[in-house]
Every structure is written in structure tokens, then in C-alpha cells.
Amino acid sequence: MSCSRRSQPDFPLTVALGRPDCSLDWNALKGGKFPTLFSYFLVSLRTGNRRLKYISLAVLVVQNASLILSIRYVRTLPGERFFATTAVVMAELLKGATCLLLIFLQKQGSVRQFALFLYDAVVVQYVDTLKLAVPSLIYTLQNNLQYVAISNLPAATFQVTYQLKILTTAVFSVLMLRKSLSRLQWVSLLLLFAGVAIVQVEQGQAGGGSSPGAAQQSYAVGLVAVVVSCLSSGFAGVYFEKILKGSSASVWLRNVQLGIFGTLLGLLGMCWAEGAAVAAQGFFHGYSPLVWGVILNQAFGGLLVAVVVKYADNILKGFATSLSIVASTVASMYLFGFRLHPPFALGAGLVIGAVYMYSLPKAGPPLGPRQEPTALLPLGKEPSEPGYPPKLACKEKGS
């Protein structure tokens, strides 16, 4: 028997599933014989989400690996070094300007609406804006510390060690947000710590694996910088989630507010750390096309990830992080003469496995036999519990 659009209210869904002949039992699907999440999974397979997920995976891997490799490359080139503090400021300026442009386009090019919106969001709601001063300060510190760490550590070592931010974020989530972690997640955190420790012992015995011809480096300075960066990253992320829970502001507005403080704090940090040298040699001293490429990657890469991450679940993001570690290690062997020893491979393997394990969803209670989804979380809105799949708002039929 054929099926028409009038007799089948879910006809677009049947086409999306590749079953326009209506051979799929819709009553069984709606009655609960198929799990609700599974029905949504079937839909996503046929509506192009699978392709978006693959694109998201590629973008996340390329951005994670290329940023670290490019910073390492420009910081180990012979000759005059650029000032890392100026690069942080430029990245904040470009990111803020891009977000302002996107907000302007959202207001359909109306200067009046654009100005009134910013005045209301930034000035009138100044309390909400001031809340972002603390995470902005920490993020600015973190960005500067990343330059210090990557300048003194091999890219592969930094990439592996930097995954400690998962551990710090989990600890701060438990302490500040009273979140609970599954046994699998606690085991993965122990494996993560063990893997990083093995890598550090191996690299310490190997003298840090400095690149041939690179400027003088200090493995201890790089290690301290990456550990402090992980601590600041974990605290800032959890603090940001805590103070902005339930906020409806767009990611572009939040980046503008963060950029205001980030630029000001970055300039203060530049004056404090390298003010005399910048005044003597110039703000753009040592800049080259490669340096500009790093700054653009840091500024626009983060925004691109913020857009793409809407289509990536926690498992995909964990898998992307694991692939970026592998990509950074392989690229370091060819670009910087990095030597892969068995202890490093073991430690990196533990970290890769731990990252993937931590991203796995918790085992939740089975869905009821007669539950039907009424609303999905908006795109880009993730549940507060790390490792959980997106939650569905459900109601009993007939209620």
C-alpha cells in the first residue's frame, strides 16, 4: 500500500530515513518499541549530520595540531623572536573584531540596532559583563603561558602534557559544581596522569628533546608553564560555566565581552613583561607571514571550533583530541627531528586511551516504554555533566 503525505504526518522523516514506502513501523517507533535516542540517530544518519560530524572531526584535529606545531615552528626559528605578548593581544583584537562584525550582520547591517544592542549588553548589563573579567584574566594568562610552554617543550610533549587540563577541569567541576564522575571517568583520569608522568620521566631523561639549532630552551620552565596553564584552563572553564549558567547570550557576544577584558589585560601584561623591549623595537618586531599565520590560526581557529563543535558530541571531541596527539607526534618527527622512544609511545598511548574513555557517555537509566521527545537542546548547548549525551525533554503520552 502506498503512503501519501496526508495520511502520513511524518512523511519528511520517512524520506530522510530512505523509507518513502512507509515500511518502517511508525506506531512501533512512537509507541516506544524503538528507543527514542535510536530514532534520532536514524534521522541524523540520513539528514547529512554524519558528513557534518566528519567535517567537524577534521576541523578539530587540524586546528588542535596545527596551532601547536605552528607556534613551535615560529618560536624555534633562528633570528629575532617576536614578542609573544603582542601576539596574544593581536589575537584578541582580531577575534573581537570578527565577533563584532558577525553581530553587525545579525542586526542586518543596522548601525543603530547594532549600537543599541552593544550598549544594552555591555554597558547597561554591566554586572553581567564584569563577571567575565576573571575568566578573561585567566584565559589571557593561559594564552601567554602556552607560548612559554611550547617555546621550551617539543610539540608532541606539550600536546600530551596539556591533556592534564581534563584532570584539572574534572577536579574543579567536582569541587565547585558538585558534579559526579563515573568510575570509568575516574579510571581514565588515573590513566591520564600515569601517561603524562611516563612521558615526563622519559623526556627528562632524554634532556627534553630540544630541536636541533633551536634557541636556548629550558625544559623545567616549559613544564611549569604547561602545568600552570592546565590549572588555569580547568578553573577558568568551570568558573565560566558556573557564573553564566542559564545565560541566553550568544557565543559572539560572549567573545566580545571576553575580548574587551582580554585586550586590556593583554596590554597590561605586555607592558609589565616586555614593555621596555616593545617600546624600543616596536610592537610588530619579528613579525613575518608565518607569525601572522599563527595569530590568525589562534584568533579564527578558536571561533571556527566554536561553530563546528555544535555538530560534535563528546565522543567525537575526545577522538579528535586523540588524533591530534598522533598528528602532532608524527609531524614533530619530520619537522623538528623528534625521536619517538618506547616510553613516550606508552605514555602517549595511555593518554590517548584515557581521553577517549573519559569522553564516553555515562550509563543512564533506560528510557521508558512510552516516552516521546518534545524538544532537543539548542545547537551548541551542552549538558553540564561531562561525558553525558544530549538530554531530551520528555513527557508521557496522554498527559
Side-chain angles (χ1 to χ4, degrees), residues 271-294:
C271 294
W272 177 76
E274 301 172 320
V278 172
Q281 300 179 357
F283 186 92
F284 298 105
H285 172 74
Y287 275 50
S288 66
L290 289 175
V291 175
W292 279 109
V294 170

Side-chain angles (χ1 to χ4, degrees), residues 157-173:
T157 305
F158 172 84
Q159 184 77 294
V160 172
T161 310
Y162 194 55
Q163 302 314 311
L164 282 176
K165 64 183 180 181
I166 298 176
L167 173 62
T168 59
T169 302
V171 172
F172 283 121
S173 296

Side-chain angles (χ1 to χ4, degrees), residues 107-129:
K107 300 303 175 182
Q108 300 179 345
S110 172
V111 177
R112 184 174 182 273
Q113 292 184 13
F114 174 70
L116 289 176
F117 173 78
L118 289 181
Y119 177 77
D120 177 71
V122 178
V123 179
V124 175
Q125 303 180 39
Y126 67 93
V127 176
D128 193 34
T129 302

Side-chain angles (χ1 to χ4, degrees), residues 142-220:
Q142 176 188 345
N143 290 334
N144 282 281
L145 287 174
Q146 282 184 3
Y147 274 98
V148 175
I150 299 175
S151 300
N152 290 277
L153 295 177
T157 305
F158 172 84
Q159 184 77 294
V160 172
T161 310
Y162 194 55
Q163 302 314 311
L164 282 176
K165 64 183 180 181
I166 298 176
L167 173 62
T168 59
T169 302
V171 172
F172 283 121
S173 296
V174 172
L175 295 178
M176 297 174 60
L177 301 179
R178 304 300 180 186
K179 291 184 177 180
S180 61
L181 302 179
S182 66
R183 292 182 180 178
L184 181 63
Q185 287 177 318
W186 282 116
V187 171
S188 68
L189 292 177
L190 291 176
L191 291 177
L192 175 68
F193 184 81
V196 171
I198 292 174
V199 168
Q200 296 309 317
V201 171
E202 188 273 337
Q203 289 291 289
Q205 293 175 350
S210 298
S211 303
Q216 185 177 2
Q217 302 172 24
S218 172
Y219 187 81

Side-chain angles (χ1 to χ4, degrees), residues 166-336:
I166 298 176
L167 173 62
T168 59
T169 302
V171 172
F172 283 121
S173 296
V174 172
L175 295 178
M176 297 174 60
L177 301 179
R178 304 300 180 186
K179 291 184 177 180
S180 61
L181 302 179
S182 66
R183 292 182 180 178
L184 181 63
Q185 287 177 318
W186 282 116
V187 171
S188 68
L189 292 177
L190 291 176
L191 291 177
L192 175 68
F193 184 81
V196 171
I198 292 174
V199 168
Q200 296 309 317
V201 171
E202 188 273 337
Q203 289 291 289
Q205 293 175 350
S210 298
S211 303
Q216 185 177 2
Q217 302 172 24
S218 172
Y219 187 81
V221 171
L223 181 59
V224 171
V226 72
V227 170
V228 176
S229 181
C230 290
L231 288 170
S232 62
S233 174
F235 177 79
V238 175
Y239 182 84
F240 191 77
E241 179 182 352
K242 183 176 182 178
I243 65 175
L244 296 180
K245 212 163 190 178
S247 174
S248 59
S250 68
V251 65
W252 313 127
L253 176 61
R254 289 308 181 202
N255 273 284
V256 168
Q257 293 171 318
L258 286 172
I260 294 173
F261 293 108
T263 302
L264 295 176
L265 294 170
L267 288 171
L268 290 176
M270 180 194 70
C271 294
W272 177 76
E274 301 172 320
V278 172
Q281 300 179 357
F283 186 92
F284 298 105
H285 172 74
Y287 275 50
S288 66
L290 289 175
V291 175
W292 279 109
V294 170
I295 294 173
L296 292 175
N297 190 358
Q298 191 170 26
F300 300 127
L303 295 178
L304 181 62
V305 169
V307 174
V308 168
V309 81
K310 295 190 303 183
Y311 306 102
D313 54 21
N314 285 329
I315 297 179
L316 192 69
K317 286 184 282 186
F319 190 55
T321 301
S322 302
L323 286 180
S324 65
I325 294 175
V326 175
S328 297
T329 303
V330 173
S332 295
M333 295 169 64
Y334 289 96
L335 293 175
F336 311 117

